[in-house]
Amino acid sequence: RFDGYTFTSYGTAQGLPQASVNDLLETRAGEYWVATNGGLVRFDPQGAPASRVSYANEARQHAPPMFMTIVPEDEDRYARTFTVLAEGHDGAIWCGTLKGVYRLAELGGRFALQPVEVGMPSEFGEQRYVYGLVEDHFGSLWVGAPSGLYRRWADGASARYTSREGLPDNFLQTLLLDHRGQLWAGTRDAGFFRVGFDETHAPPVVELTVSPHDFDQSGWINQLFETSDQKLWVATARGLLEYLPGGDAAGKPYRLYTTKNGLSDHNVASLGEDAGGNLWLGSARGTGAMRLSRSGFVTYDEQDGVNSVFSVFADRAGGVCLRGYVLGDKRASVFDGGKLDLLNLSQATYWPRFGRFDGQRLTWFVPDALGGEDFGWVGEGVTLQGRRSGEWWIGGGAGLYRFPAADSFTGIKGARPLNFFGRESALGARQVFRVFEDSRERIWVSTIYSTARAGNGLALWERETQTLRDLTGAANLPPPADDLARSFGEDRAGGVWIGFSTGLARFRDGAFAFFGARDGVPPGAIIDIYTDREGRLWLASARSGLVRVDDPEAARPTFTGYTTAQGLSGNVVSAVAEDSYGRIYAGTGQGLDRLDPATGRVKHYTTADGLAGGRIAAAFRAPDGSLWIGTSQGLSRFQPEPERQAPAPPVLLTALSVAGAARRVSALGETEMRLPDLPAGASQLQIDFVGLGFAPGESLRYQYMLEGADAEWSAPSAQLTVTYARLAPGRYRFLVRAVNADGRVSDAPASVSFRVLPPVWARWWFVALAALAVVGAAYALYRYRVARLLEVADMRTRIATDLHDDIGANLTRIAILSEVAKRQYGNGGGDEHGESPLASIADIARESVASMGDIVWAINPERDSLLDLVRRMRRHADEVFTLRDIALEFDAPGEERNLKLGAGVRRDLLLIFKEAVNNAARHAGCARAQIELRADDAWLSLTVSDDGTGFDTAGAAEGHGLANMRRRARKLGGGLEIESAAGRGTTVRLRVPHARASLV
């Protein structure tokens, strides 16, 4: 299988029962059948290659094999040798073997081969061999065999026809039913013929015979084949024939192709046609496959005695003239009608020669005047014919010859030169490098030094003076020791252009102007100059591809380059030509490129299209419009055709591997594939693809895009493989399409769809489980904290209860008993006005009860609100100030600001408040007191003020009470301010952060 780039072979290692393949059949249903010497094989492109044969009667395997072999029941080697296959109008498969005809049937889900009687001789042997099978439009089956021609009608009747019925030979090797329904037959020894028939049982009538008497070839016909353009081709044992019903110009009914035309083997066994209309030839002697390109190249190379051609030009008689090297002796040799007659082959070697092709014959010769002279080592561009004078100029190693006018190039063979310019002329002892005639019939001559001392040269022969003038070292030209005039051309205004290694010179009005890199000339020597029909100059650059000059008459011309970036196959261009349709041809190191200046599209022609190999040295358009390409390995002729829009190239996936493991791809390629989900660590993909394009010069490029990662198509390139090293998790769709030289893209891209799974820790179920685990942990922590808070609250409740019930009760009993004892026993040893121990015990007990009450209130979880604190403050202030007849104003938030306060916060706030109240009641001597408690969004503010005596805050020593108040305020994260002055009362301000006050 050939995909335009590479061949894939299938043999016994892939499951074929035997390596000899005699015929291939693709049915209308798309099935493939192969006729081999080991049986009939069904080819499943989706199947897996196998190293052994899988027969039809075996149980079906899990992975179907690529090849499944079916053999007749008798299974001898003659019956197993299948020679030819054909499909009937009802889909039946007719099979020819070395033991007669079989019909493939499917019975009970299994294939079977049933013998078919067509009237062959009963005796076993060569007469029962079948080589040709076709079914006509009447439903009759025609069989070609060594024993004659057989016909089997749809009703089962059969007949045999031999030379007795007028056949030119009984041994038939191939049959063909053409587009008109006409039957053609090829014989072993008598050529080929056509027969007429109808639906009756009347014998066929031989209508036309083409025998060996009509062509100087073998009558052994291997195959008859009709191409899509309805031409009949004949594969013979001695070459390939193209049948010409009306005959050629000489009346011959064929065109012959042999090894002289590039065939690798003259014994052509089989023929086929690809989608581009190219004819494929199979060798009978194992030398491989050959391709005859439609509208391709006709090439002459070493098989034709041609070694190399360095110069191609035309004479006034319309002949194509050549200069090169051919195989021969020192005398002339003639290439005639596809055959090169060589003289004295015992002395044959490659010699420099001049040649001329007149449309039929290619004649090689050497002018007598040059017979013993040095041709030199330069062959390109050193021979020309004057356009008006008809004179011939030939340059060589010894100098420059001027021959008299002769319409045909061969006319100078015996002519005496008019002039010879050698060592004593302006040329000196230099090799002639290029010769050019301008529109004023001046001859420009470039010479190259043979020694470093001589230097390069430039000379001009003028017809008016008949003299050769030396221009070496002229003003504005590069130094002759450093540069060389490599090419010449002329614009429409008569300006002569000279290409150098460092730039380009123009000669106009008797003076030179030089254009180099500063003027926009791309780097590289100018190897060739061509003026197209639009008046543009085309420059062949040794480094910068093809250069176009749109305005060569301008004072400062502009230069536009074409390189590999614009589609050329290479940046080294050696020759330029133009066809009749205005397309430019450039010879590169990779072949011949065709550029359409209107569209910028490029087509590439290589040896695969029939182009002669080697370096392209010359390109020339002949008067008949054909292009001649001279190379270092031969000569090619190409007939350009009008532009035809090529169909959109299909594209196929040919191979796919994931993480280095190959995935199964159909042997015919795939247009769409879906992969199972790929793990995150195995997302490396390598995808191979190919576009099918078989037209001559077809050069496909490819664009691809990975949906899910790329926003647009990639730039077109020639690569056939794309590799993705590592892909992020997500869904992807790889698309690839082919782009031909006309810019047409595949109607439908090939695609691979797949998904890369995220790592286990990033998958939804893992994330969900992790989220559930976090929620569960948070909930457990919450439950734990609530439980702990409840435990703390319960403990605080128990402590408050125990303090109140046990310690409080005991302290109260102590106070009561102290009072009782005091009344019963007096002051307990104290005087009436002094303090007795019992009185002290009673006072301490009462104070302890009061303090314990504050502690019990502070740790009681049922008293955690701001409202409870306010009530406690109000009760205390009432008790203290009322006993001393001090008027009290108390302003505090109501239930609308019922904040939650922690036990420690409530206790410190209450103690600061009590200290401030007690100080005002005991020491201020006030008549009025004001208390204000505020709770805004950020702070709790407490103010206690009185109208008492006051004190000097600067001079007074601060006692323990005030110090404790400041310490508690700092502990709460707030601040305490005291304002007082003698006779002006005292004000205590406390500010505590709201958030801190709200802590529990």
Side-chain angles (χ1 to χ4, degrees):
R1 177 177 61 83
F2 180 62
D3 60 15
Y5 297 88
T6 58
F7 287 90
T8 302
S9 299
Y10 301 93
T12 54
Q14 288 73 37
L16 279 180
Q18 210 271 349
S20 296
V21 174
N22 301 316
D23 199 9
L24 295 170
L25 174 66
E26 180 184 5
T27 67
R28 292 185 291 272
E31 293 183 343
Y32 294 85
W33 296 90
V34 186
T36 77
N37 284 359
L40 176 64
V41 178
R42 184 184 185 184
F43 172 54
D44 182 3
Q46 301 288 347
S51 58
R52 67 180 188 86
V53 178
S54 299
Y55 289 93
N57 56 2
E58 289 184 326
R60 185 165 298 277
Q61 305 172 13
H62 294 292
M66 180 177 288
F67 296 103
M68 181 179 67
T69 302
I70 306 166
V71 294
E73 291 183 0
D74 42 11
E75 288 196 7
D76 63 25
R77 67 184 184 90
Y78 296 98
R80 288 199 304 268
T81 302
F82 284 71
T83 54
V84 62
L85 304 173
E87 183 180 17
H89 66 281
D90 60 352
I93 306 297
W94 300 100
C95 308
T97 73
L98 296 186
K99 200 174 182 179
V101 179
Y102 289 82
R103 183 178 186 275
L104 181 66
E106 188 171 0
L107 304 174
R110 297 178 182 272
F111 290 105
L113 289 166
Q114 301 171 338
V116 177
E117 182 57 49
V118 295
M120 284 186 166
S122 57
E123 64 273 15
F124 178 72
E126 189 179 49
Q127 296 188 48
R128 293 184 63 84
Y129 294 179
V130 176
Y131 293 126
L133 281 176
V134 294
E135 187 180 83
D136 63 28
H137 54 283
F138 299 120
S140 301
L141 180 67
W142 294 86
V143 180
S147 54
L149 178 65
Y150 298 84
R151 184 179 186 183
R152 181 182 183 274
W153 284 269
D155 60 6
S158 61
R160 175 188 179 190
Y161 308 104
T162 63
S163 56
R164 293 191 298 270
E165 284 74 31
L167 300 187
D169 189 10
N170 289 343
F171 202 122
L172 304 185
Q173 298 204 128
T174 179
L175 298 178
L176 171 69
L177 207 66
D178 66 17
H179 67 284
R180 297 180 180 176
Q182 302 177 119
L183 180 64
W184 295 80
T187 71
R188 169 69 65 90
D189 297 307
F192 58 98
F193 61 93
R194 187 183 73 216
V195 298
F197 60 92
D198 56 27
E199 60 181 327
T200 68
H201 289 206
V205 177
V206 177
E207 300 174 336
L208 173 69
T209 300
V210 182
S211 69
H213 300 290
D214 301 302
F215 52 89
D216 187 20
Q217 293 299 114
S218 168
W220 186 306
I221 308 300
N222 287 321
Q223 187 178 358
L224 298 168
F225 187 81
E226 186 180 36
T227 53
S228 57
D229 57 358
Q230 301 175 357
K231 291 182 179 180
L232 180 64
W233 296 82
V234 185
T236 80
R238 291 291 178 182
L240 176 68
L241 295 181
E242 178 185 1
Y243 177 60
L244 306 174
D248 62 8
K252 295 180 180 179
Y254 64 89
R255 181 179 291 115
L256 179 65
Y257 299 85
T258 67
T259 54
K260 299 295 184 183
N261 305 98
L263 299 187
S264 61
D265 182 13
H266 62 260
N267 193 345
V268 182
S270 55
L271 300 173
E273 183 181 18
D274 64 30
N278 305 301
L279 189 66
W280 288 81
L281 295 71
S283 166
R285 298 191 301 179
T287 60
M290 299 163 278
R291 184 177 74 173
L292 179 63
S293 298
R294 174 182 287 184
S295 303
F297 292 84
V298 176
T299 291
Y300 309 96
D301 53 22
E302 289 192 355
Q303 298 183 79
D304 309 299
V306 180
N307 173 259
S308 55
V309 173
F310 297 112
S311 185
V312 185
F313 48 97
D315 59 23
R316 295 202 303 188
V320 175
C321 307
L322 314 168
R323 179 168 176 166
Y325 284 81
V326 298
L327 180 65
D329 64 5
K330 292 188 177 182
R331 293 170 291 172
S333 57
V334 176
F335 180 76
D336 183 9
K339 184 178 181 181
L340 183 66
D341 296 325
L342 302 177
L343 306 179
N344 195 6
L345 293 180
S346 63
Q347 302 180 19
T349 185
Y350 288 106
W351 293 94
R353 291 287 186 270
F354 297 94
R356 183 177 186 274
F357 182 73
D358 60 7
Q360 296 292 328
R361 174 179 294 183
L362 179 57
T363 303
W364 297 96
F365 70 96
V366 176
D368 295 341
L370 274 68
E373 299 294 335
D374 179 16
F375 274 35
W377 56 271
V378 179
E380 300 95 323
V382 291
T383 307
L384 62 84
Q385 183 182 31
R387 282 172 281 187
R388 288 198 293 268
S389 68
E391 297 173 349
W392 289 92
W393 297 79
I394 299 177
L400 178 66
Y401 292 86
R402 177 189 173 200
F403 285 91
D407 287 344
S408 174
F409 188 29
T410 55
I412 69 170
K413 183 179 186 305
R416 294 178 60 86
L418 298 176
N419 298 101
F420 172 70
F421 304 94
R423 182 182 297 271
E424 304 303 325
S425 69
L427 303 183
R430 303 184 185 95
Q431 161 79 49
V432 175
F433 190 77
R434 293 290 185 271
V435 179
F436 175 76
E437 183 192 37
D438 63 22
S439 58
R440 296 176 57 182
E441 296 188 84
R442 297 176 296 192
I443 304 298
W444 295 79
V445 186
S446 167
T447 58
I448 187 170
Y449 61 82
S450 56
T451 63
R453 183 166 51 87
N456 301 317
L458 178 65
L460 177 64
W461 182 85
E462 297 177 305
R463 183 166 295 278
E464 293 84 357
T465 62
Q466 298 283 304
T467 58
L468 187 67
R469 181 158 56 99
D470 189 5
L471 298 180
T472 304
N476 297 325
L477 292 183
D482 300 331
D483 212 337
L484 170 69
R486 295 178 173 272
S487 57
F488 293 91
E490 186 176 13
D491 60 35
R492 284 184 173 181
V496 175
W497 292 80
I498 308 175
F500 288 88
S501 298
T502 56
L504 195 64
R506 180 178 62 190
F507 183 79
R508 186 169 65 183
D509 300 330
F512 288 100
F514 191 80
F515 306 96
R518 295 180 179 179
D519 306 289
V521 178
I526 307 300
I527 306 300
D528 194 12
I529 302 176
Y530 181 83
T531 304
D532 68 11
R533 61 185 184 182
E534 301 295 332
R536 298 170 296 199
L537 291 185
W538 294 88
L539 314 177
S541 171
R543 290 177 55 190
S544 302
L546 197 59
V547 182
R548 189 187 76 221
V549 186
D550 291 327
D551 50 352
E553 297 88 6
R556 298 185 65 84
T558 57
F559 303 90
T560 304
Y562 296 86
T563 65
T564 53
Q566 284 72 41
L568 290 188
S569 61
N571 289 334
V572 179
V573 178
S574 55
V576 186
E578 180 185 20
D579 66 18
S580 302
Y581 307 101
R583 297 169 300 200
I584 302 299
Y585 292 77
T588 75
Q590 287 72 36
L592 184 68
D593 290 353
R594 189 188 78 184
L595 168 67
D596 187 344
T599 63
R601 295 171 183 160
V602 179
K603 279 193 173 183
H604 307 295
Y605 300 93
T606 66
T607 54
D609 302 297
L611 179 67
R615 179 182 66 87
I616 294 179
F620 176 75
R621 187 181 76 211
D624 64 356
S626 61
L627 288 181
W628 291 78
I629 310 298
T631 79
S632 59
Q633 295 181 12
L635 175 68
S636 294
R637 180 179 62 184
F638 177 65
Q639 188 65 50
E641 292 185 341
E643 189 68 41
R644 295 173 180 167
Q645 189 174 35
V651 63
L652 299 171
L653 304 169
T654 56
L656 175 64
S657 64
V658 179
R663 299 297 177 97
R664 185 176 301 171
V665 178
S666 169
L668 302 180
E670 302 273 9
T671 57
E672 183 177 1
M673 294 183 67
R674 294 182 181 275
L675 298 179
D677 291 344
L678 306 180
S683 59
Q684 302 91 350
L685 266 73
Q686 179 176 312
I687 304 171
D688 296 351
F689 44 83
V690 68
L692 304 182
F694 299 102
E698 187 71 274
S699 55
L700 298 182
R701 293 184 295 168
Y702 301 89
Q703 292 179 294
Y704 56 87
M705 176 172 60
L706 186 63
E707 290 184 349
D710 299 333
E712 57 186 18
W713 292 95
S714 67
S717 69
Q719 72 178 57
L720 300 174
T721 300
V722 172
T723 300
Y724 295 98
R726 189 174 183 87
L727 293 172
R731 292 187 179 275
Y732 298 94
R733 185 168 177 249
F734 173 80
L735 301 173
V736 62
R737 64 188 185 185
V739 185
N740 65 14
D742 297 326
R744 295 199 63 185
V745 302
S746 305
D747 290 332
S751 65
V752 181
S753 300
F754 59 95
R755 182 177 66 154
V756 178
L757 296 174
V760 173
W761 52 265
R763 299 181 188 178
W764 69 267
W765 55 266
F766 186 90
V767 173
L769 289 178
L772 288 176
V774 170
V775 171
Y779 180 71
L781 181 62
Y782 168 75
R783 290 288 304 272
Y784 174 77
R785 187 167 181 271
V786 169
R788 295 299 299 163
L789 289 175
L790 291 176
E791 290 179 5
V792 171
D794 185 58
M795 182 181 295
R796 288 167 57 190
T797 301
R798 289 199 308 270
I799 292 173
T801 302
D802 292 344
L803 288 174
H804 183 272
D805 294 345
D806 295 338
I807 300 175
N810 291 335
L811 290 173
T812 301
R813 288 178 60 196
I814 291 173
I816 294 172
L817 290 175
S818 298
E819 288 293 334
V820 171
K822 181 180 178 183
R823 291 174 183 175
Q824 290 181 355
Y825 304 107
N827 287 335
D831 56 25
E832 193 167 323
H833 300 288
E835 295 227 359
S836 69
L838 290 176
S840 298
I841 292 173
D843 291 338
I844 293 172
R846 281 191 293 269
E847 290 175 1
S848 299
V849 169
S851 297
M852 187 189 63
D854 292 339
I855 294 173
V856 171
W857 172 84
I859 66 174
N860 190 345
E862 296 179 0
R863 299 290 185 264
D864 284 346
S865 67
L866 179 62
L867 185 58
D868 289 319
L869 177 61
V870 170
R871 291 171 181 168
R872 187 77 172 182
M873 287 178 172
R874 187 183 298 274
R875 184 167 62 249
H876 178 75
D878 287 341
E879 291 177 354
V880 172
F881 289 121
T882 301
L883 291 174
R884 290 171 174 80
D885 293 327
I886 299 173
L888 174 65
E889 292 184 12
F890 196 107
D891 187 10
E895 295 183 358
E896 71 279 0
R897 297 293 290 175
N898 194 17
L899 301 175
K900 287 291 185 180
L901 302 177
V905 173
R906 286 186 290 123
R907 182 173 181 274
D908 286 335
L909 282 174
L910 180 61
L911 292 177
I912 294 172
F913 172 78
K914 291 177 70 174
E915 185 68 24
V917 169
N918 291 339
N919 287 339
R922 293 177 181 175
H923 308 297
C926 62
R928 184 179 183 85
Q930 290 182 330
I931 299 174
E932 182 181 16
L933 180 64
R934 290 283 180 261
D936 55 25
D937 293 336
W939 297 88
L940 281 176
S941 301
L942 173 65
T943 303
V944 179
S945 62
D946 61 67
D947 59 356
T949 59
F951 62 96
D952 184 5
T953 58
E958 192 174 86
H960 291 292
L962 291 179
N964 288 337
M965 291 173 65
R966 295 186 187 279
R967 180 178 55 80
R968 294 183 189 276
R970 288 194 299 271
K971 179 180 177 183
L972 294 176
L976 182 72
E977 295 180 0
I978 300 175
E979 296 179 3
S980 183
R984 300 182 58 182
T986 302
T987 300
V988 178
R989 292 187 178 91
L990 172 69
R991 283 172 57 84
V992 177
H994 187 287
R996 186 65 178 269
S998 300
L999 294 176
V1000 177

